């Protein structure tokens, strides 16, 4: 299941649709996520860009096996499974982005995501509102009508690491992404 998710992620990150991931693809992806932030929120926008650049550096260092400065689909899936999802790299590569995005999307700065804030993030990413609304209710594990940082982080961990199709995080981009 994780290989399929990572292959799907490859398509999403390949912003120029050339079949290879490059630093410019990751910069463009950071730009997409940044659009969910308030325009004046330079701190979180900068954090999103920095985190995506750090992830790119990790990918090219450990995944660019042919040394061409790009990461193919096969290289991406392999480096995600073998390196990025390891304890040593997951927090600084993936969770740094999740934390920056959560802070940016929490536009009223109350420390949680409302349904409106959550759906706006996934609208920016091109996810259907029905999908993001359903995911919101799954990720809101305590059912209090908002998603805490801990709930969002748990969902991100599940998305990247869980093979359980019922795990709430595996529904972030649709049923059992």
């Amino acid at each position: 299941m994780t290989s399929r998710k990572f292959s799907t992620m490859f398509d999403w990150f390949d912003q120029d649709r050339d079949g290879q991931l490059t630093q410019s693809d990751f910069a463009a992806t950071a730009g997409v996520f940044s659009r969910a932030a308030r325009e004046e929120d330079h701190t979180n926008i900068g954090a999103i860009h920095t985190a995506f650049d750090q992830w790119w550096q990790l990918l090219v260092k450990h995944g660019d096996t042919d040394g061409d400065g790009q990461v193919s689909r096969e290289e991406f899936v392999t480096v995600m499974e073998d390196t990025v999802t390891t304890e040593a790299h997951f927090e600084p590569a993936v969770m740094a982005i999740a934390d920056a995005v959560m802070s940016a999307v929490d536009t009223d700065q109350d420390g949680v995501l409302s349904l409106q804030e959550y759906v706006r993030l996934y609208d920016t990413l091109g996810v259907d509102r029905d999908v993001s609304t359903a995911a919101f209710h799954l990720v809101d594990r305590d059912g209090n009508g908002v998603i805490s940082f801990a709930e969002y982080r748990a969902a991100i961990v599940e998305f990247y690491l869980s093979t359980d199709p019922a795990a709430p995080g595996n529904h972030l981009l649709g049923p059992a992404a």
Side-chain angles (χ1 to χ4, degrees):
M1 179 174 200
T2 55
S3 293
R4 187 177 80 230
K5 284 191 277 190
F6 296 150
S7 183
T8 299
M9 286 177 61
F10 178 93
D11 292 333
W12 199 83
F13 288 141
D14 185 14
Q15 294 285 305
D16 62 9
R17 306 291 183 246
D18 68 353
Q20 296 287 328
L21 297 181
T22 63
Q23 190 167 18
S24 64
D25 286 318
F26 269 66
T29 301
V32 171
F33 276 86
S34 294
R35 287 197 304 264
R38 295 177 320 279
E39 190 175 317
E40 68 278 1
D41 187 0
H42 302 292
T43 300
N44 285 316
I45 291 170
I48 291 169
H49 282 271
T50 297
F52 268 101
D53 188 57
Q54 288 172 336
W55 191 356
W56 169 251
Q57 296 306 321
L58 181 67
L59 289 175
V60 80
K61 177 180 179 181
H62 295 282
D64 181 17
T65 57
D66 59 10
D68 66 355
Q70 303 177 102
V71 176
S72 69
R73 180 183 307 276
E74 182 178 317
E75 289 171 328
F76 180 75
V77 170
T78 299
V79 73
M80 289 298 294
E81 291 175 339
D82 295 348
T83 304
V84 175
T85 56
T86 65
E87 191 174 327
H89 297 290
F90 189 71
E91 188 73 28
V94 175
M95 297 310 287
I97 292 169
D99 290 344
V101 167
M102 175 85 179
S103 293
V105 174
D106 180 17
T107 54
D108 62 7
Q109 300 176 322
D110 63 354
V112 294
L113 294 183
S114 66
L115 175 61
Q116 180 183 6
E117 289 168 326
Y118 184 87
V119 168
R120 189 171 57 74
L121 166 63
Y122 286 93
D123 280 350
T124 303
L125 303 178
V127 175
D128 183 87
R129 283 177 179 246
D130 291 338
V131 169
S132 59
T133 299
F136 176 90
H137 294 294
L138 291 171
V139 174
D140 177 17
R141 294 167 197 255
D142 62 10
N144 68 349
V146 294
I147 296 174
S148 68
F149 271 67
E151 287 171 324
Y152 189 70
R153 285 177 64 89
I156 296 296
V157 168
E158 288 172 343
F159 179 80
Y160 283 89
L161 303 178
S162 176
T163 58
D164 177 4
N170 282 329
H171 293 263
L172 291 177
L173 300 177

